[in-house]
Amino acid sequence: MKLFIFSLLLLFPFLIFAQSNNAPSTNIPHEITITGYLQTQYQRAQSAGISSFSGGDFAENSKDRFMIRRGRLKIDRADNYSNIVFQIDATQNGVQLMDAFIQLHKPGLESLEFTAGLFNRPFGHSIVYSSGYRDFPERARVFQTLMPRERDLGAMITFNPEKKFHFLTAELAVINGSGHSSRDYDSKKDLVGNLGFKFDSLANKKMHIGFGGSFYKGTVRNNTESYYTNGDNGFVKNTSPTNVGLNAKRNYLGANLQVQYDNTFGSTLFKAEFVGGTQPGVASSGSIKGPYASQSFSAQPATDLYLRSFSGYYLWLTQQIAKSRFTALVSYDSYDPNTKVKDIEIGANNNNTTAGDIKFNTLGYGITAQVSSRIKLTVYNEHVVNAPTQLPSYLSDLKDDVFTMRLQYRW
């Protein structure tokens, strides 16, 4: 199944214009512009206190909640030589910086652009696509795990020809690798690259197609004398004083696809994205819940590293209903943090596996209503499934489905 999906993405690659966060409201020279959006929502979980990638974990004794999911305020300005973007996120948890970057370009050579600051990592489609335009409430579990909060600090070069090769976009960034952290915890820098092609207004302007491929090449510093690698049906422990300061590989390859067809019933949009590679993580423990054991680090990990071979993907389908304001949503995503071990082997004696190695699949379905040009209502349910393991807390599927009702206002 994984090989089939990856082959499909390579053989039939397509891309839609993305509403990217790595850009001002418009590249046309303008004075300070203020835009943003507010997402307020109600959620009900299947059980109290569950771990969730639908807006964060639920409190220990709660299975329903009201919350501000996102409260974005974006300020930007553009002239003939530069753009500047500054964005914050204000929720019930406080105010956080989201974007802060400067873009430079030369008049007559707008196809080449230099960006420096805090920006979205140029990997794939969903990472850079704005949450204010995305129909689905959240990004897929695999991307929330690999690139939490999407941003990193660094510098990037973008090449987007305006004439003969206008369908091409190439991006290459050097970043800290510690994400949205206040500081980098080692001297190594990570490299991220993206190559995309977009073809708009085909088939009498009814079809929009394209494709993209990305890579991430980085490391995570090991701070102990031991680390674990995949072996037969589990992990093998490697111990040596020379392992302190080891740079464990953090490498990803991705491919993405989007197809939109504007038919007589209403616009149909299909999106898919696959990513696989090696992800340094830690063991699941009393302080680190299973789903977060393979999450990328914003601070130096204090425990032994676990090097996992992983894969993940999502399939998203939206269908406008009879050209009305209503759009039906269906999604399926999968994240396997350890492709070298079978689910039923997780938790077996002496194989060093933990809840951090469990595969999760999510089926989502719902509907959106575009109440006005600024207001959108989303009703969505996620059915989350994990296979049985030998771990006491994961002998069967967890009851961790989540229902979401969201109201968004964008200005």
Side-chain angles (χ1 to χ4, degrees), residues 5-10 13 122-127 142-143 146-147 191-196 211-217 251-258 272-278 310-314:
I5 292 170
F6 187 65
S7 302
L8 179 69
L9 295 175
L10 292 178
F123 189 97
H125 175 78
S126 68
I127 288 293
V142 59
F143 287 104
L146 300 179
M147 302 180 187
L191 196 64
V192 190
N194 182 61
L195 184 64
F211 68 93
S214 304
F215 76 89
Y216 188 109
K217 186 173 180 59
N251 295 336
Y252 318 148
L253 286 176
N256 63 84
L257 130 74
Q258 298 82 38
E273 192 163 358
F274 172 90
V275 60
T278 303
F310 76 91
S311 69
Y313 64 89
Y314 68 79

Side-chain angles (χ1 to χ4, degrees), residues 96-98 117-119 121 148-154 176-186 296-300:
Q96 294 180 317
L97 180 64
M98 293 303 296
L118 177 66
F119 51 84
R121 284 163 277 204
R149 297 191 64 189
E150 300 86 51
R151 278 85 173 166
D152 212 318
L153 286 154
N176 282 342
S178 52
H180 208 275
S181 175
S182 59
R183 63 178 182 175
D184 193 5
Y185 54 79
D186 62 23
S296 296
F297 302 106
S298 60
Q300 174 66 54

Side-chain angles (χ1 to χ4, degrees), residues 119-397:
F119 51 84
N120 275 297
R121 284 163 277 204
F123 189 97
H125 175 78
S126 68
I127 288 293
V128 300
Y129 195 86
S130 172
S131 299
Y133 291 91
R134 188 183 60 244
D135 285 317
F136 296 88
E138 304 297 338
R139 292 175 176 87
R141 177 186 291 254
V142 59
F143 287 104
Q144 291 192 55
T145 303
L146 300 179
M147 302 180 187
R149 297 191 64 189
E150 300 86 51
R151 278 85 173 166
D152 212 318
L153 286 154
M156 175 173 64
I157 295 177
T158 302
F159 179 62
N160 183 208
E162 294 183 349
K163 296 181 180 179
K164 189 174 181 180
F165 298 100
H166 64 277
F167 54 83
L168 168 68
T169 299
E171 299 165 298
L172 184 64
V174 179
I175 58 176
N176 282 342
S178 52
H180 208 275
S181 175
S182 59
R183 63 178 182 175
D184 193 5
Y185 54 79
D186 62 23
S187 60
K188 298 290 184 179
K189 297 295 174 280
D190 295 356
L191 196 64
V192 190
N194 182 61
L195 184 64
F197 299 84
K198 54 179 180 284
F199 301 92
D200 196 28
S201 301
L202 302 176
N204 294 323
K205 298 184 178 180
K206 292 182 178 180
M207 182 171 285
H208 317 271
I209 61 178
F211 68 93
S214 304
F215 76 89
Y216 188 109
K217 186 173 180 59
T219 62
V220 173
R221 185 181 186 277
N222 185 46
N223 208 34
T224 68
E225 293 187 354
S226 299
Y227 69 95
Y228 292 79
T229 54
N230 280 126
D232 294 333
N233 304 322
F235 286 103
V236 176
K237 186 175 183 179
N238 305 272
T239 302
S240 171
T242 60
N243 289 335
V244 178
L246 172 77
N247 293 303
K249 291 183 179 180
R250 178 188 178 190
N251 295 336
Y252 318 148
L253 286 176
N256 63 84
L257 130 74
Q258 298 82 38
V259 181
Q260 179 176 324
Y261 183 65
D262 301 323
N263 50 72
T264 55
F265 184 73
S267 180
T268 303
L269 177 60
F270 175 73
K271 298 184 178 184
E273 192 163 358
F274 172 90
V275 60
T278 303
Q279 172 73 347
V282 294
S284 175
S285 65
S287 60
I288 300 177
K289 295 182 180 179
Y292 305 110
S294 60
Q295 197 167 54
S296 296
F297 302 106
S298 60
Q300 174 66 54
T303 58
D304 297 343
L305 288 183
Y306 281 63
L307 276 59
R308 296 181 172 96
S309 298
F310 76 91
S311 69
Y313 64 89
Y314 68 79
L315 308 172
W316 288 350
L317 178 65
T318 67
Q319 175 63 59
Q320 184 185 18
I321 302 174
K323 293 189 175 181
S324 67
R325 296 182 177 183
F326 296 92
T327 300
L329 314 175
V330 179
S331 73
Y332 185 82
D333 73 69
S334 178
Y335 175 50
D336 188 350
N338 190 348
T339 59
K340 301 294 185 180
V341 63
K342 297 178 181 178
D343 293 301
I344 197 61
E345 296 169 345
I346 296 174
N349 291 333
N350 302 318
N351 72 355
N352 297 310
T353 55
T354 68
D357 302 295
I358 298 175
K359 179 180 179 180
F360 284 84
N361 301 319
T362 304
L363 173 66
Y365 47 90
I367 192 168
T368 67
Q370 195 68 48
V371 181
S372 70
S373 60
R374 298 185 182 277
I375 301 175
K376 181 171 70 174
L377 175 67
T378 302
V379 179
Y380 194 74
N381 190 67
E382 289 178 301
H383 178 50
V384 185
V385 176
N386 61 275
T389 71
Q390 296 186 43
L391 297 169
S393 298
Y394 295 87
L395 296 176
S396 60
D397 181 36

